Amino acid sequence: MSVAELSDALTFFGATGDLAYKKVFPALQWLVKHNQLDIPVIGVARPGWSIERLRERMKDSLTEHADFDPAAFDKLCKLLRYCEGEYSEPKTFDRLREMLGSAKRPLHYLAIPPSMFAQVVSELGRSGCANGARVVVEKPFGRDLHSARELNRALKRVFPEASIF
């Protein structure tokens, strides 16, 4: 992969959920610790949290599910941002677009229930957050063959197939 293809921002939806707590935060710390992550990391989740509370949850996660590394944690805290909002509200995605700033190749990781994938992807497209971006959808990919095909169509309306993971 050339430098031009590297992502220049990472957003992850579901930042306050169980998947983030058990898997995403430990993976992010590992990437920072091994000098593989040095871009803005924007956690997107429902309202009612603050960046301080998200950092506390991340620290609890790393203490419970990883070998907590104070230096990597400090660096990750400097990279971490929090975009609060409901996934059903366009202003959440407009705010995210603002937070992405000059990012040209963001990576969007959907650590959310599959029932929300299509709506989130549609709003990523509408808001301009999908321009030049990639998307990673957490499994399961639909409930059955029909719903998987519907989800595939929804993703391909916004992202080219080569940008869907």
Side-chain angles (χ1 to χ4, degrees):
M1 179 179 298
S2 74
V3 173
E5 295 175 330
L6 294 176
S7 294
D8 53 2
L10 168 66
T11 67
F12 70 102
F13 289 80
T16 59
D18 284 344
L19 184 59
Y21 188 80
K22 294 175 183 175
K23 300 292 183 182
V24 176
F25 289 132
L28 293 174
Q29 178 185 256
W30 187 94
L31 289 169
V32 167
K33 187 175 180 175
H34 293 90
N35 298 314
Q36 300 295 307
L37 182 66
D38 192 20
I39 58 176
V41 175
I42 304 169
V44 185
R46 292 191 174 105
W49 285 64
S50 65
I51 188 65
E52 293 80 17
R53 186 172 173 201
L54 186 60
R55 287 179 180 141
E56 282 178 32
R57 182 161 171 83
M58 182 171 64
K59 186 174 186 178
D60 292 344
S61 161
L62 298 175
T63 301
E64 185 175 342
H65 295 286
D67 291 326
F68 180 75
D69 181 315
F73 175 76
D74 287 345
K75 184 174 179 184
L76 186 51
C77 281
K78 290 176 182 154
L79 297 173
L80 188 65
R81 313 284 184 273
Y82 172 55
C83 180
E84 73 172 334
E86 296 291 340
Y87 302 144
S88 59
E89 295 179 7
K91 65 183 176 182
T92 301
F93 297 86
D94 296 337
R95 189 179 310 100
L96 176 59
R97 180 59 254 166
E98 232 176 81
M99 292 179 79
L100 285 168
S102 63
K104 300 208 182 316
R105 290 197 50 85
L107 174 66
H108 302 291
Y109 181 78
L110 308 185
I112 55 177
S115 60
M116 302 173 91
F117 290 166
Q119 181 174 8
V120 167
V121 166
S122 176
E123 281 299 318
L124 287 171
R126 183 207 55 80
S127 64
C129 291
N131 297 345
R134 297 177 185 140
V135 64
V136 176
V137 291
E138 186 58 48
K139 61 184 182 205
F141 195 84
R143 298 171 311 283
D144 53 26
L145 181 60
H146 176 73
S147 63
R149 285 181 173 159
E150 286 295 317
L151 178 54
N152 193 49
R153 281 191 285 277
L155 290 167
K156 289 169 80 175
R157 278 193 287 273
V158 177
F159 290 94
E161 190 165 348
S163 296
I164 302 169
F165 299 90

